[in-house]
Amino acid sequence: MPFSWGSGLRLRRLLFWLLLLAAWEAGSGQVHYSVPEEAKHGTFVGRIAQDLGLELAELVPRLFRVASKGRGDLLEVNLQNGILFVNSRIDREELCGRSAVCSVHLEVIVDRPLQVFHVEVEVKDINDNAPVFSHREQRLRIYESRLPDSLFPLEGASDSDVGSNSILTYKLTPSEYFALDVKTNSDDNKQIGLVLKKSLDREEASEHKLFLTATDGGKPELTGTVQLLVTVLDVNDNAPSFQQSEYEVRIFENAENGTVVIRLNASDRDDGINKEISYSFNSLASPMVFAQFNIDTNTGEIVIKGNLDFEQINVYKIRIDATDKGHPPMAGHCTVLVKVLDENDNIPEIALTSIALPVREDAPLGTVIALMSVSDQDSGVNGQVTCTLTPLVPFKLVSTFKNYYSLVLDNALDRESVSAYELVVTARDGGSPSLSATASVSVEVADVNDNAPAFAQPEYTVFVKENNPPGCHIFTVSAQDADAQENARVSYSLVERRVGERALSSYVSVHAESGKVYALQPLDHEELELLQFQVSARDAGFPPLGSNVTLQVFVLDENDNAPALLPAGAGVAGGALSELVPRSVGAGHVVAKVRAVDADSGYNAWLSFELQPAAGGAAGPFRVGLYTGEVSTTRALDEADAPRQRLLVLVRDHGEPALTATATVLVSLVESGQALKTSSRVSSGGPGPEAALVDVNVYLMIAICAVSSLLVLTLLLYTALRCSAPPAEGACVPGKPTLVCSSAVGSWSYSQQRRQRVCSGEGPPKTDLMAFSPSLPPCPVATDTGKHQDLNADQEEHSARPRQPNPDWRYSASLRAGMHSSVHLEEAGILRAGPGGPDQQWPTVSSATPEPEAGEVSPPVGAGVNSNSWTFKYGPGNPKQSGPGELPDKFIIPGSPAIISIRQEPTNSQIDKSDFITFGKKEETKKKKKKKKGNKMQEKKEKGNSATDNSDQ
């Protein structure tokens, strides 16, 4: 260590005191020794006896002893050799402390003589004490805000040694912040301090550890060390800081309130209160932030307090302030970016932007019906929407652009099948689970006049009783139009034509709106049996459509005509029939025949004959056939019978009420010879009425045969033309005939599947077949057509009890009798083929034929005029069967002698309809009758009667 001015001054002082001690010792005889401290036991100090001038031998006798005040044990004298030595450890610092001179004063006492010697033993200092600091550690508290060159005092070390051993030097461990400052005071005390070289930063180093070493000047040098612990005191010079300047948080929308979004953690490098932080939203934050979130000021936890809706706001930018509690307070900032994740919480929306309704049913395919758009407020897959349409509808959805669709026509429309469609458009998103929405579209189909009015059936049959009041309602036609509104409004009208010489509108009219058909005048069955016309139904559409229906109005007969008697071939005034009857005739002899006709039809024209009883009620010898009108004898005549008898025959029809006529038959009973004379007289008496009548009958028979031949030729020609030409279409086309028959058991009609239409008035003629009731009771059908059978017996048997009509058969409006009928009856009891035809087994027309070999036409129960279910059948023994579409040319009616032959008129034929169907044979000859007298007048009379019958029919 370099020498200093203070240490030289101490050395000069020490030399001065040594010189002064030496002088004192020389003057006082005081012995002075020195011994280093810490000398070992027995260390030689000096020869005290010798130095005091004492002999060794006299030490003991003279009781040589050494005394020291309080330190007698440190030094001791060996009485044997008079040497002063160290008896125990000597510690100068203990003896003298910090005194510069340290000595032990001894008093040596000897007796004999008593002498006292003073001995001074100086204890020499050695460097046995290292510098010592008062504390093992020195703590310094320095604010980090202290400026550089600031001095902070330190406590120095102390050294118990003296002199150079106590001179201390200090050394500080290297530090960039601190340096050691040592100053010596006037009292040679050193003051040390710590100098701040540069500013401290508590956040970098809150504590500095330094070591201060004190070294003394002894040899060897001893050192002492103390630790300097510098604590940097905090100053609020650091603001709170976050680990990131921006935080990103993702959270699903619709999260519950109280859900933690994020927990922020700001740090402050300061200490104490300076590092205590409070969190808050920045004052410039959006009001939506304050509405949706809360922040805990102490923990920095952000929680949800409102409903998060992705569709409203999908990103929240939250500015956070972290402020410490220092003075002045400092704040740190960060941004929390809250991204709201979408959930599939919004159903798709369907908007109809344009719609064109109604849609015409004739709209072409691809017609755009409506435009629509779909949307979904969700995003991503949740917002991807697909649209579907109700299945099985004639429409489809076509995507025109993203989320835009067109509803177009995919199939043809028919308003009459479906007038409106309720379409359901379903929009479904792609979320999981997916959400869907539906929209209903009512598509109304507008009508187009594409349907004509239609009647329930193409033809109606109407029955109207004759003598109806004018303007009466006879029928109502109704047509339905499948269209709507004006297109379905139907108006009715007659299809005008002429009926005979008159217009159709003079007979009937139809109401344009209701379709009611009215008869404008009374109808007469005898004048017009069938009125056939068409009614047209037309709608109000554009263009208008229409259709026709055919009405067949059958005028039903009423019993408004009484039976009319045919004029007799010979008689008396007043129309009475006069007959001469020989008395020799037997029972059953036909005397006369009453002939009558009825202008009515059916039952109203079915006549029965009844003989009025004679006056007095006595039974006469005559009777009348119930249905034949033949007056015959019931027994052989005798002389008792009156020669002239007046017979009253009541002719009654079967109408309700029944109408009657009375015929008078005058019968004269004569002898056989007289009868022959009368007959000869009448025949030779010139051209009387009977001769003229015979001539007329002959001409009439020739005419009938000619006409029949012509009809047969016409029928054959027509059949050939019909077989070779294709079938013609029209309202009245010749076809399969309609059979309408009546007999003693009732009336019935027949029509095959393709029924022959009947036209009246102008237009094509009709084909018809009609039968009138026979004049004889029914009889069994003969199985052998080559044999003749007499039916008189059966006639007599059944005349009293006629067969009742079958209630299952229906009344026929087509039956006519007499002059207006198309039926010709011949009284024949034998069934055989028609003229020119081979004998064969005839098909029969009956409801139940008892003979298995015979054919039949079977009607259903309740069959009427318009029935279509009659069938022709041949008996099993008959090999001939009609082909499809064929009719047999001849029929027989069981229980009747009538044979029905059919022919069809060619188109546009003007032949009278009463002449195209014939019944039976023209023969009425009774071959089994006995010719008792062979009178020629009788034969002429019978021939005249036969000719009269033909002309009547």
Side-chain angles (χ1 to χ4, degrees):
M1 188 173 199
F3 180 80
S4 63
W5 174 256
S7 62
L9 182 60
R10 286 196 299 269
L11 182 58
R12 287 197 300 271
R13 287 179 181 179
L14 180 58
L15 291 177
F16 173 75
W17 282 107
L18 288 176
L19 290 174
L20 183 58
L21 180 58
W24 179 77
E25 288 179 351
S28 62
Q30 186 179 2
V31 178
H32 182 79
Y33 297 102
S34 65
V35 62
E37 64 175 334
E38 301 297 335
K40 295 182 180 180
H41 176 73
T43 301
F44 174 79
V45 176
R47 295 182 182 278
I48 189 169
Q50 182 180 353
D51 293 336
L52 288 176
L54 297 176
E55 293 293 337
L56 292 177
E58 61 180 1
L59 295 177
V60 174
R62 291 185 71 177
L63 298 173
F64 184 92
R65 54 185 184 276
V66 178
S68 177
K69 292 181 180 180
R71 298 179 179 87
D73 58 345
L74 294 178
L75 298 172
E76 190 63 46
V77 175
N78 188 352
L79 297 178
Q80 297 298 326
N81 53 16
I83 298 174
L84 183 62
F85 65 90
V86 177
N87 185 40
S88 62
R89 174 181 174 271
I90 300 173
D91 186 1
R92 182 185 179 279
E93 288 76 27
E94 184 179 351
L95 288 175
C96 302
R98 295 289 298 172
S99 176
V101 177
C102 181
S103 61
V104 177
H105 184 75
L106 296 177
E107 289 183 351
V108 178
I109 302 170
V110 292
D111 291 335
R112 300 170 185 175
L114 180 59
Q115 292 181 320
V116 177
F117 302 95
H118 292 280
V119 178
E120 189 75 24
V121 179
E122 182 183 4
V123 179
K124 300 291 185 180
D125 183 43
I126 66 172
N127 194 20
D128 60 343
N129 288 284
V132 176
F133 291 92
S134 59
H135 298 86
R136 295 181 58 187
E137 183 180 78
Q138 291 188 28
R139 290 182 174 271
L140 297 177
R141 299 173 68 83
I142 303 174
Y143 282 99
E144 59 177 335
S145 60
R146 292 297 295 269
L147 298 176
D149 296 332
S150 297
L151 179 64
F152 303 97
L154 296 177
E155 183 180 357
S158 62
D159 195 332
S160 299
D161 296 329
V162 295
S164 61
N165 292 332
S166 64
I167 299 173
L168 301 178
T169 59
Y170 295 93
K171 186 178 180 181
L172 185 67
T173 55
S175 173
E176 60 175 327
Y177 292 99
F178 298 98
L180 187 63
D181 180 66
V182 180
K183 291 182 180 179
T184 303
N185 296 333
S186 59
D187 57 356
D188 294 335
N189 290 328
K190 293 183 177 179
Q191 291 183 350
I192 61 176
L194 199 60
V195 178
L196 183 62
K197 294 182 355 180
K198 73 174 191 176
S199 297
L200 296 175
D201 187 358
R202 194 203 66 82
E203 288 71 36
E204 290 185 5
S206 61
E207 190 176 66
H208 297 270
K209 291 182 180 181
L210 304 174
F211 291 94
L212 179 62
T213 302
T215 304
D216 58 20
K219 298 291 183 180
E221 295 177 346
L222 297 179
T223 61
T225 304
V226 65
Q227 183 178 15
L228 301 178
L229 187 59
V230 179
T231 301
V232 181
L233 298 179
D234 183 48
V235 175
N236 193 23
D237 60 346
N238 289 280
S241 62
F242 296 91
Q243 294 180 355
Q244 301 173 219
S245 61
E246 184 175 277
Y247 295 88
E248 183 175 314
V249 181
R250 298 175 183 268
I251 189 168
F252 282 101
E253 63 176 331
N254 304 321
E256 296 181 357
N257 291 346
T259 302
V260 177
V261 178
I262 190 174
R263 185 187 297 272
L264 296 174
N265 185 18
S267 61
D268 194 324
R269 298 174 66 186
D270 295 328
D271 195 15
I273 195 172
N274 295 329
K275 70 180 299 182
E276 294 181 8
I277 302 173
S278 64
Y279 300 89
S280 64
F281 293 132
N282 190 278
S283 60
L284 300 179
S286 168
M288 291 299 299
V289 173
F290 291 96
Q292 300 292 340
F293 302 96
N294 270 336
I295 187 169
D296 192 309
T297 57
N298 296 322
T299 62
E301 186 176 82
I302 300 177
V303 296
I304 297 174
K305 76 171 183 179
N307 182 40
L308 299 181
D309 191 353
F310 173 86
E311 289 69 37
Q312 292 183 357
I313 301 178
N314 55 12
V315 175
Y316 292 89
K317 192 173 184 179
I318 307 174
R319 297 183 181 274
I320 304 296
D321 291 343
T323 307
D324 60 25
K325 296 181 180 180
H327 185 76
M330 302 189 74
H333 310 281
C334 76
T335 300
V336 178
L337 198 64
V338 179
K339 292 186 176 181
V340 182
L341 300 180
D342 182 47
E343 282 191 340
N344 194 23
D345 60 341
N346 290 280
I347 62 175
E349 296 179 356
I350 304 174
L352 291 175
T353 58
S354 177
I355 187 167
L357 293 177
V359 182
R360 289 173 58 90
E361 62 178 320
D362 61 349
L365 300 184
T367 301
V368 178
I369 309 301
L371 299 177
M372 63 185 66
S373 62
V374 294
S375 61
D376 195 319
Q377 296 183 10
D378 296 323
S379 63
V381 177
N382 297 333
Q384 295 178 359
V385 182
T386 56
C387 282
T388 57
L389 189 62
T390 307
L392 303 178
V393 293
F395 303 94
K396 67 179 178 179
L397 286 176
V398 177
S399 178
T400 57
F401 191 66
K402 181 180 180 182
N403 291 339
Y404 285 86
Y405 293 88
S406 295
L407 179 65
V408 300
L409 184 62
D410 190 36
N411 288 316
L413 298 177
D414 186 6
R415 192 206 64 81
E416 289 69 39
S417 298
V418 181
S419 61
Y421 293 88
E422 289 295 331
L423 306 181
V424 178
V425 180
T426 302
R428 186 177 301 276
D429 59 28
S432 179
S434 62
L435 300 178
S436 62
T438 58
S440 296
V441 181
S442 296
V443 178
E444 181 181 355
V445 182
D447 184 50
V448 174
N449 192 24
D450 56 348
N451 289 278
F455 292 93
Q457 57 191 63
E459 186 177 276
Y460 292 94
T461 300
V462 183
F463 297 96
V464 180
K465 290 184 178 181
E466 64 176 335
N467 304 321
N468 57 283
C472 72
H473 172 236
I474 61 175
F475 192 69
T476 300
V477 293
S478 177
Q480 301 296 326
D481 195 318
D483 295 324
Q485 298 178 355
E486 292 297 318
N487 296 331
R489 187 162 59 87
V490 180
S491 60
Y492 303 92
S493 63
L494 286 176
V495 178
E496 187 61 56
R497 66 180 184 86
R498 300 194 65 79
V499 179
E501 299 297 330
R502 301 171 60 182
L504 175 65
S505 56
S506 64
Y507 286 96
V508 292
S509 67
V510 60
H511 193 274
E513 295 181 359
S514 65
K516 291 184 177 180
V517 180
Y518 299 94
L520 300 181
Q521 63 181 8
L523 299 178
D524 188 359
H525 173 80
E526 289 73 32
E527 177 185 349
L528 182 66
E529 296 181 12
L530 173 64
L531 178 61
Q532 180 172 299
F533 58 92
Q534 287 186 330
V535 176
S536 174
R538 186 171 298 271
D539 58 30
F542 182 80
L545 301 177
S547 62
N548 297 339
V549 66
T550 300
L551 266 68
Q552 289 187 350
V553 179
F554 285 91
V555 182
L556 302 181
D557 182 54
E558 287 194 342
N559 195 21
D560 57 347
N561 290 281
L565 299 175
L566 296 179
V572 295
L577 179 63
S578 178
E579 294 289 344
L580 297 177
V581 180
R583 289 183 178 272
S584 60
V585 297
H589 176 73
V590 176
V591 174
K593 181 175 182 179
V594 178
R595 292 176 175 83
V597 295
D598 195 319
D600 295 323
S601 300
Y603 280 96
N604 297 328
W606 184 20
L607 302 181
S608 62
F609 300 87
E610 179 182 352
L611 186 64
Q612 294 285 63
F622 301 99
R623 67 176 181 181
V624 64
L626 179 61
Y627 298 111
T628 62
E630 292 181 345
V631 179
S632 60
T633 58
T634 59
R635 57 181 174 79
L637 300 178
D638 53 23
E639 298 297 333
D641 293 324
R644 294 181 64 85
Q645 296 194 20
R646 183 184 182 89
L647 304 180
L648 296 180
V649 178
L650 183 64
V651 182
R652 185 192 307 271
D653 60 25
H654 285 74
E656 291 292 339
L659 300 179
T660 61
T662 303
T664 302
V665 179
L666 299 178
V667 179
S668 299
L669 302 182
V670 296
E671 296 300 330
S672 298
Q674 186 180 355
L676 291 176
K677 291 179 180 180
T678 302
S679 177
S680 300
R681 192 183 309 116
V682 171
S683 58
S684 61
E690 290 186 0
L693 183 60
V694 169
D695 295 336
V696 171
N697 288 341
V698 170
Y699 298 146
L700 181 60
M701 290 179 64
I702 295 174
I704 290 175
C705 292
V707 170
S708 299
S709 301
L710 181 60
L711 289 178
V712 169
L713 292 177
T714 303
L715 180 61
L716 292 177
L717 180 61
Y718 172 75
T719 303
L721 292 176
R722 186 177 181 186
C723 293
S724 61
E729 297 181 356
C732 298
V733 180
K736 295 175 184 162
T738 301
L739 179 62
V740 183
C741 296
S742 174
S743 69
V745 293
S747 62
W748 47 268
S749 63
Y750 164 76
S751 175
Q752 283 196 342
Q753 292 181 354
R754 199 177 75 180
R755 182 180 40 171
Q756 174 63 37
R757 298 186 178 183
V758 179
C759 299
S760 62
E762 294 183 356
K766 60 185 179 180
T767 300
D768 199 358
L769 183 151
M770 308 180 71
F772 187 69
S773 58
S775 58
L776 291 176
C779 63
V781 177
T783 57
D784 186 0
T785 59
K787 295 182 179 180
H788 298 282
Q789 181 177 358
D790 191 354
L791 301 179
N792 289 334
D794 292 337
Q795 176 182 352
E796 294 176 359
E797 178 181 357
H798 292 283
S799 62
R801 48 182 184 88
R803 177 179 296 181
Q804 296 298 323
N806 190 335
D808 286 340
W809 291 10
R810 293 294 180 260
Y811 181 80
S812 172
S814 300
L815 299 181
R816 293 291 305 273
M819 300 298 291
H820 301 282
S821 176
S822 59
V823 180
H824 298 275
L825 300 178
E826 296 294 340
E827 295 184 28
I830 301 171
L831 302 179
R832 63 178 65 233
D839 291 345
Q840 59 178 346
Q841 188 169 6
W842 295 83
T844 61
V845 181
S846 68
S847 61
T849 305
E851 289 81 10
E853 297 299 324
E856 65 179 52
V857 177
S858 300
V861 176
V865 173
N866 200 25
S867 173
N868 293 331
S869 58
W870 287 86
T871 57
F872 285 94
K873 297 182 181 179
Y874 286 90
N878 186 2
K880 176 182 179 182
Q881 298 293 334
S882 299
E886 297 180 1
L887 287 176
D889 54 353
K890 298 180 179 64
F891 300 91
I892 63 171
I893 301 177
S896 170
I899 297 175
I900 305 173
S901 62
I902 305 173
R903 64 181 177 84
Q904 294 183 340
E905 296 176 34
T907 305
N908 300 326
S909 174
Q910 300 299 326
I911 301 176
D912 186 7
K913 65 178 181 178
S914 64
D915 198 29
F916 64 85
I917 300 176
T918 59
F919 285 72
K921 293 176 61 64
K922 297 170 62 177
E923 295 183 7
E924 195 182 7
T925 305
K926 299 181 180 180
K927 297 182 180 181
K928 293 184 178 182
K929 184 178 180 180
K930 297 180 180 180
K931 299 181 180 180
K932 296 181 179 181
K933 296 182 179 183
N935 195 330
K936 294 182 179 180
M937 295 299 294
Q938 184 69 22
E939 292 178 357
K940 293 181 179 180
K941 182 179 180 180
E942 289 179 1
K943 291 182 180 179
N945 290 338
S946 176
T948 303
D949 291 343
N950 290 332
S951 63
D952 292 340
Q953 294 183 11

